[in-house]
Amino acid sequence: PAPVHLSNSTDPFQPLEAASGHTKYALTQILAHRRRFTSVRILTKNPLLPVQLGYIDLFRRLGELPSDHPRASALRQGGFPGFCIEVSLAFWREDARAAYDPCAPTVEQRMEGIRALRAAGIPVVLRIDPLFPRAPLGADPAKTYSSFDLVQPQSAEDIDNLVGFAREVGALYVVFSPAKIVQPRGRKLSPAMQAMRRVYDCVAAPDKLTFRGGAWRLPDAIARAQITEPFLETCRRVGVAAKYCKHNLIETP
């Protein structure tokens, strides 16, 4: 048996699901062959949609391993749920969500979906991902996001609220990673991402950005000092476990 994840590249709960039911069909087939899978996970920005479509009972059944499942004992002893939904919620303020995630559900809609899932006993992981540098940006002189005609994505207070929300709803843990600026294939960066590239140049100065895997990234030492460590300190203070993006996949039994 092996884990199965839906879907780390394309959201399985887009509005089309209400008409097509493709994700429900896939999950139903997984349930029919449950012994072939260890844990089943879904990654979405739209947790309210499956609640509205009445998928809760299907989720519960996916979380129940058959008595003859070859890994049932190991999963239970390790405390790994048979089913889990990971929800992306990187922004606390609606103006930031609208600026950087314009086609996705609102912050309130995602929180409503998460609360409904948790009320039904469905395990949830909160993805506070990606993480952005916090203002002030750079040091010569220090600037803000408005200096680059951008909305501030995340303040220290926003991160406190997001991690606090994870604790409030009893999320298994949070997933995080520093934001990277991805170069689209065959076209230029959007104006907003060009501005974000200038933000990153400012934060990295006098060092240069690293280009790796088709994306610009802050130098590792700067990303750790200005993004990762402050976030992990917040998680430690609030009492929420945190996993780096992809580690949560690697560690899934």
Side-chain angles (χ1 to χ4, degrees):
V4 58
H5 296 257
L6 288 79
S7 167
N8 290 287
S9 58
T10 303
D11 199 308
F13 287 129
Q14 298 180 46
L16 180 63
E17 174 66 14
S20 70
H22 288 168
T23 298
K24 181 180 182 180
Y25 177 80
L27 292 172
T28 301
Q29 296 308 305
I30 291 170
L31 180 62
H33 303 277
R34 192 64 184 83
R35 291 183 73 261
R36 295 182 179 273
F37 303 98
T38 51
S39 57
V40 180
R41 294 208 171 200
I42 293 177
L43 171 58
T44 184
K45 294 181 180 181
N46 196 3
L48 187 57
L49 181 63
V51 174
Q52 294 171 332
L53 295 178
Y55 290 6
I56 292 294
D57 183 61
L58 176 58
F59 293 165
R60 289 194 181 113
R61 292 165 65 197
L62 285 162
E64 299 170 357
L65 297 179
S67 58
D68 61 346
H69 193 288
R71 296 288 303 282
S73 178
L75 287 168
R76 293 191 186 101
Q77 289 177 5
F80 295 104
F83 176 83
C84 177
I85 291 189
E86 297 188 1
V87 180
S88 294
L89 183 62
F91 307 106
W92 183 256
R93 289 172 292 105
E94 185 57 22
D95 63 334
R97 195 283 310 166
Y100 297 102
D101 216 358
C103 296
T106 67
V107 172
E108 184 56 39
Q109 286 170 334
R110 295 189 220 190
M111 292 174 67
E112 182 183 350
I114 291 168
R115 287 193 172 104
L117 289 169
R118 292 299 300 124
I122 306 300
V124 168
V125 167
L126 195 65
R127 294 185 64 105
I128 307 176
D129 181 25
L131 296 174
F132 295 83
R134 304 180 196 174
L137 307 168
D140 192 24
K143 298 180 179 180
T144 65
Y145 279 93
S146 62
S147 305
F148 300 88
D149 296 321
L150 290 172
V151 174
Q152 178 174 248
Q154 297 160 338
S155 66
E157 182 180 3
D158 293 340
I159 295 298
D160 280 354
N161 286 330
L162 287 166
V163 175
F165 177 70
R167 180 176 179 179
E168 172 198 328
V169 298
L172 296 177
Y173 53 85
V174 298
V175 174
F176 70 98
S177 68
K180 56 184 182 289
I181 301 171
V182 178
Q183 174 60 55
R185 294 180 181 178
R187 53 191 173 90
K188 295 181 180 180
L189 290 171
S190 68
M193 288 301 99
Q194 291 178 32
M196 188 62 73
R197 167 74 192 273
R198 294 193 292 272
V199 168
Y200 271 43
D201 285 334
C202 175
V203 173
D207 295 337
K208 301 295 184 183
L209 299 181
T210 300
F211 188 80
R212 184 176 73 251
W216 285 278
R217 306 161 191 262
L218 289 170
D220 289 343
I222 293 175
R224 283 196 301 272
Q226 298 199 25
I227 299 178
T228 303
E229 285 305 322
F231 178 75
L232 289 175
E233 176 55 36
T234 299
C235 291
R236 287 189 288 266
R237 173 169 49 81
V238 177
V240 172
K243 294 186 179 184
Y244 197 86
C245 182
K246 294 186 180 178
H247 288 192
N248 62 310
L249 300 180
I250 295 169
E251 296 170 6
T252 302

